Amino acid sequence: MSESVIKNNRAPLILLSFNLFIVMVGIGLVIPILPFYIDKFGADARTLGLLVAVFAFMQFLFAPLWGRLSDKIGRKPLITIGLFGFAIAEFIFAYASGLWMLFLSRILAGTFGSALMPTAMAYVSDVTSSEKRGQGMGIMGAAMGLGIVVGPGLGGWLAEYDLSLPFLVAGVAATIAGILSVFILPESYPKHKREMDAQASAGEKRDNQFVTMYKALKSPVGFLLILVFIMSFGLANFQSIFGYYTMERYNYNPSEVGSIILIVGLVGTVVQGVLVGRMTKRFGEERVVTSALLISSFGFVLMTLATSFTTVLLTTCIFFLGNSLLRPSLNSFISKLAGNRQGLVMGLNNSFLSLGNVAGPILAGIFFEINIHIPYLFGACIMLFGLIVTKLWISKRAHKIEVSS
C-alpha cells in the first residue's frame, strides 16, 4: 500500500482505535473488581497496591524497548503481539488459582500493553500528515478515554454474574482484535523506509533504557517528556484518591462516585475526539498545551471548594477538560519533534507516562493522610509549575529559532 493511499485511508485509524479501546477496557474493568478478586486469596490492601504498581512498572520498563523494535521490524507485528499477549494475561487472571498467577497476569498485561500503545501512536504519525496529526492523536485519545470510562462499568456489571467473567470477555475481545489486525491492518512503516532510516542512524550507540531516558531529556523532546510525567502524575493523583475524597467529605456511595466518573469520562472522550484536532490546527500545540495546564490547575483548586453533587460534577469536569486537551495535543507536539524515531520516542513517552502513574497514587495517599485537600492542592501546584516552565521553554525555543534563521 502506497504512502498516499495510507494517508487517505481512515480504516487503519478506526481499527487502531478499536484496539486501544479494547486494551483500555481491559485495564479499566480491573478497578472496581480487583479488591474483591484478591480477597478470595486472603490478600490485603498492600498486595492490591503492588498489583497496581507492577503493571505500571512493567510499562515503564518495556515501552521504549517495544518502541525501538517497532522502528526495526514495523508497527503491525508489535501491535498484534501486544494484543495477543494482553489477551493471554487476561485469561491467566480469570483462571488464577494463586496470588503468583495474579502477579504473572499483571506483569504480562503491563509488558504487552506497553507494546501496543506507543506503537499505535507511532502508527498514527506514519499515516497522518503534520496538519492532521493532532486530529489523529485526538481520535486515539478518545478511544482510550472511552475504554477507561466503559471498563469499570462493564467490569462491575459482568462481575455480578461471576468475578472472572470480565477478564474472560476482555481476553476474547483482545484476541478478536489481534486476529483482525493480522488480516486487515496494513503496515504503516514499510521495509524500504525502515532500511533508509536505519542507514541514516547507522553507527549510533544503543544504550540501556535509563541512559536513553537521560539522553532523551536533553533532546528536543526532553522537556515535553517531563510534561508527559506531569500530566500523568496529575491524572493518577486525581483518580487514585477521588473515591476516598468524596466518600469522606460528602459521604458518597460507590454509585454516586461511579456516576461522576462516567459523566466526566464521557466529557473527556468528546473533547479528545472532537475539539483537540480543531484546536491544535487553529491555535497550535503550544497554546493548547499551556491552556490545558492552566485549566487542569484551576480544576484541582475548584474541586476543594465544591459543596454539592452538582458543583463536584462541574469542577471535576473542568479538570478533565484540561487533562483531555493536554494528552493528545502533547502527543502531537512530541511526534512532530521525533523525526524518524517515532517508535522510540513514543515508547519513551509511555515510560514517562508510567512513572507518573506510579508516583501520583503514592504521593496522593501520603498527602491524604495529612489532610484530604492536600493531594488536589499539590496537584494544582504541579500543573501550575508545568505551565510556568512551559511558557519559559516555548519562549526560549522561539528565540533559538529566530537566531538560527
Side-chain angles (χ1 to χ4, degrees), residues 211-366:
V211 174
T212 301
M213 291 179 66
Y214 176 74
K215 289 184 176 179
L217 290 175
K218 298 189 292 183
S219 72
V221 299
F223 176 76
L224 298 180
L225 293 175
I226 294 175
L227 278 187
V228 168
F229 172 83
I230 290 175
M231 172 199 68
S232 175
F233 178 92
L235 182 59
N237 184 343
F238 166 82
Q239 289 179 325
S240 63
I241 213 68
F242 181 72
Y244 292 103
Y245 183 84
T246 55
M247 280 186 270
E248 180 160 327
R249 185 178 181 190
Y250 308 108
N251 198 29
Y252 285 174
N253 58 41
S255 176
E256 290 171 310
V257 174
S259 297
I260 293 173
I261 294 176
L262 173 63
I263 293 171
V264 300
L266 291 174
V267 169
T269 301
V270 171
V271 168
Q272 291 185 342
V274 178
L275 294 182
V276 172
R278 297 177 181 177
M279 292 184 67
T280 54
K281 186 176 181 179
R282 182 173 181 178
F283 301 109
E285 283 83 3
E286 294 96 332
R287 289 185 179 179
V288 176
V289 166
T290 53
S291 298
L293 287 167
L294 179 60
I295 294 171
S296 296
S297 178
F298 192 52
F300 262 132
V301 174
L302 287 179
M303 278 191 282
T304 66
L305 305 177
T307 57
S308 66
F309 183 87
T310 301
T311 53
V312 169
L313 180 60
L314 288 175
T315 55
T316 307
C317 281
I318 291 173
F319 169 76
F320 261 74
L321 171 64
N323 200 270
S324 299
L325 286 171
L326 182 58
R327 180 190 293 265
S329 57
L330 189 53
N331 288 337
S332 176
F333 202 175
I334 291 172
S335 72
K336 288 184 177 180
L337 297 181
N340 61 2
R341 297 302 182 88
Q342 295 291 333
L344 174 60
V345 171
M346 288 305 176
L348 287 164
N349 181 349
N350 213 57
S351 286
F352 282 91
L353 195 74
S354 298
L355 280 181
N357 287 336
V358 173
I362 292 174
L363 287 180
I366 294 173

Side-chain angles (χ1 to χ4, degrees), residues 6-7 34 40 108 121 166 231 281 328:
I6 291 179
K7 287 187 182 295
L34 198 54
K40 298 192 306 181
L108 291 176
M121 292 181 185
M231 172 199 68
K281 186 176 181 179

Side-chain angles (χ1 to χ4, degrees), residues 5 17 25 45 58 87 103 155 157 168 187 210 218-220 247-248 271 282 287 355-356 380:
V5 173
S17 298
V25 166
M58 297 311 291
F103 276 99
W157 177 69
L168 291 174
E187 176 56 64
F210 295 98
K218 298 189 292 183
S219 72
M247 280 186 270
E248 180 160 327
V271 168
R282 182 173 181 178
R287 289 185 179 179
L355 280 181

